[in-house]
Amino acid sequence: MGYEEAGRDRSAEPSSGVPSAVLENVFDDPTHGEPGRDRIGVHVGWELLLLVGLAAVGWLLWQDDPAALRDGNLRTLLVDAVGLGLLALAAGVSLRTAAPNLAVGPVAVAAALQYAEQGDRGLPASIGPAVAVAAVGGLALALAVVVLHVPGWAVSLAGAAAVVVYIERRSAPVLVQGDYDPGRNAGYLFAGFAAVAALGGLFGAIRAIRRLVGRYRPIADPARRRGAVAAAVTAVALVVSTVLAALAGVLLAANDPEPVAPTSGLDWTVLAIGVALLAGTSAYGRRGGVFGTVLAVSLVAVFQVYAPERGWTLSNWEVGGAALGVGLLVTRLVETFGRPRPGSVDMPEPVSDGTISSGWTMPQQQSVDNWPPTLPTQAAPQPVDPWRDPRWEDSPRRWDTDER
């Protein structure tokens, strides 16, 4: 199957008069893209609000139970935040490529069950097969999405159903057999997660990378293919997303002293996507913040510890649904105020077209859409008085000639 790109014709110049090769550096799509740079200020403002919310919830938790933020409880909180953060990263990576992976929750539960059953054989023997199967499953999802060019949410939902069938083969919770304690490295794990999330956000703020990652986002007809590059990037994102979900499941299982329950895991999917949207990632793909994932994950993790202190019994469905609702409002905010300003076209620098030329260019004054150009209106001709013809004054008169 070929991967045509809708509206891409190198032989035709766009209506702006700027060559298509130059527009590649200005627009996200030469034909349908928006001129100018995305505005990052809306993400900065929202991340400041997330920081204020995190500080407020953390202060309330400290007032109610200071021991929850000390010693072993703090290490448990940090590891839980890393597990949730890996799930949020898995959801966010797929969202940025406009192919949301709804199978992250079931994959995490399946990986947790695998680790719980095989944990006594050591970390490589228990984690390795789970990660390998997750990579193969992610590749299968990616091939279905990019080859058939169908929505990622639909394909991943079918994949989630297949994983749930595997989970339901167990009728009782599974006690973790391994003795790995991630709490001993809680600080390093959280620092590593925060660094990966922040660096990913920083790279995603670069216009070229943002354009590359978000190429799968539809611009006109969603059924039209977006090109081989978009397909390759989306495929890699789906594989990475599935592997991150498996690692999150292993980490959450190792950090919880309770047995791993064979649940569907869809509540974890809702929570992961809700946190990713809450972090400032657009539900339409491409757009996202820098530090939003770290702040949103920390806020939700601290709130899940604070809620029992207030006597609130909240499940992942409730917390995830609330985060999802707020995240959809954030998506509307990001798409409205994050797009380039109207009329803020960056003037591209002259580039060579690959031919021998002197480098001089002739500015095009009119759009090619108005061809042929409209001729200026001619003034109406004035009537000529035959008696005032100059010939009567300058030419020789006949009677003068006859007299001679």
Side-chain angles (χ1 to χ4, degrees):
M1 290 186 177
Y3 284 93
E4 74 273 10
E5 297 193 54
R8 235 176 241 276
D9 186 1
R10 297 290 183 184
S11 61
E13 296 296 334
S15 61
S16 63
V18 183
S20 298
V22 178
L23 283 178
E24 284 286 352
N25 299 323
V26 181
F27 295 138
D28 290 327
D29 185 273
T31 303
H32 303 91
E34 295 173 308
R37 300 175 183 270
D38 284 349
R39 289 178 285 178
I40 306 297
V42 62
H43 295 285
V44 175
W46 176 248
E47 289 169 6
L48 288 176
L49 291 178
L50 288 176
L51 180 60
V52 172
L54 173 61
V57 177
W59 182 80
L60 291 175
L61 178 60
W62 176 266
Q63 293 295 316
D64 286 355
D65 185 12
L69 298 176
R70 293 175 180 169
D71 302 331
N73 291 330
L74 178 60
R75 289 191 291 269
T76 300
L77 172 60
L78 290 177
V79 175
D80 285 341
V82 174
L84 177 59
L86 292 178
L87 276 177
L89 282 178
V93 167
S94 61
L95 281 172
R96 290 289 285 264
T97 57
N101 188 357
L102 302 185
V104 292
V107 168
V109 174
L113 290 170
Q114 164 69 18
Y115 170 74
E117 293 174 346
Q118 307 296 329
D120 55 347
R121 300 174 56 187
L123 283 179
S126 57
I127 297 179
V131 173
V133 172
V136 173
L139 183 60
L141 292 179
L143 290 177
V145 169
V146 302
V147 173
L148 300 178
H149 194 75
V150 290
W153 65 264
V155 175
S156 60
L157 189 59
V163 178
V164 171
V165 171
Y166 166 79
I167 295 173
E168 289 182 343
R169 295 175 57 187
R170 296 162 177 78
S171 58
V174 179
L175 185 64
V176 178
Q177 303 298 317
D179 57 355
Y180 170 63
D181 182 14
R184 291 174 296 185
N185 302 314
Y188 296 106
L189 290 174
F190 186 82
F193 153 70
V196 170
L199 287 176
L202 285 173
F203 280 109
I206 300 175
R207 180 174 54 176
I209 297 178
R210 180 183 291 244
R211 180 176 64 242
L212 177 65
V213 171
R215 287 183 74 90
Y216 202 74
R217 170 173 168 160
I219 54 175
D221 184 359
R224 296 292 297 272
R225 297 184 184 275
R226 296 290 289 131
V229 175
V233 172
T234 304
V236 171
L238 286 172
V239 174
V240 171
S241 173
T242 310
V243 171
L244 287 176
L247 293 176
V250 171
L251 195 60
L252 291 173
N255 193 50
D256 192 354
E258 299 295 328
V260 179
T263 60
S264 67
L266 292 177
D267 56 336
W268 285 104
T269 295
V270 173
L271 181 60
I273 294 182
V275 172
L277 294 179
L278 185 65
T281 305
S282 173
Y284 295 102
R286 201 188 86 175
R287 293 188 169 96
V290 178
F291 303 103
T293 301
V294 178
L295 295 173
V297 166
S298 301
L299 174 60
V300 173
V302 173
F303 177 78
Q304 286 182 318
V305 175
Y306 172 70
E309 298 294 335
R310 303 293 299 175
W312 303 335
T313 303
L314 301 177
S315 64
N316 287 342
W317 289 107
E318 295 169 300
V319 177
L324 192 59
V326 177
L328 292 176
L329 297 177
V330 176
T331 289
R332 185 68 269 156
L333 186 72
V334 166
E335 290 294 333
T336 301
F337 299 102
R339 65 179 64 241
R341 298 180 186 275
S344 61
V345 181
D346 294 342
M347 296 303 295
E349 298 180 358
V351 297
S352 174
D353 57 359
T355 61
I356 300 176
S357 63
S358 60
W360 293 92
T361 59
M362 294 297 293
Q364 186 171 350
Q365 300 296 333
Q366 294 184 350
S367 171
V368 295
D369 294 338
N370 296 329
W371 184 261
T374 304
L375 296 177
T377 304
Q378 299 292 335
Q382 298 293 332
V384 179
D385 186 1
W387 296 102
R388 299 183 59 86
D389 193 335
R391 292 179 302 173
W392 293 101
E393 300 177 358
D394 300 336
S395 60
R397 289 170 295 194
R398 180 178 300 178
W399 51 84
D400 292 341
T401 306
D402 293 343
E403 291 178 355
R404 294 175 185 176

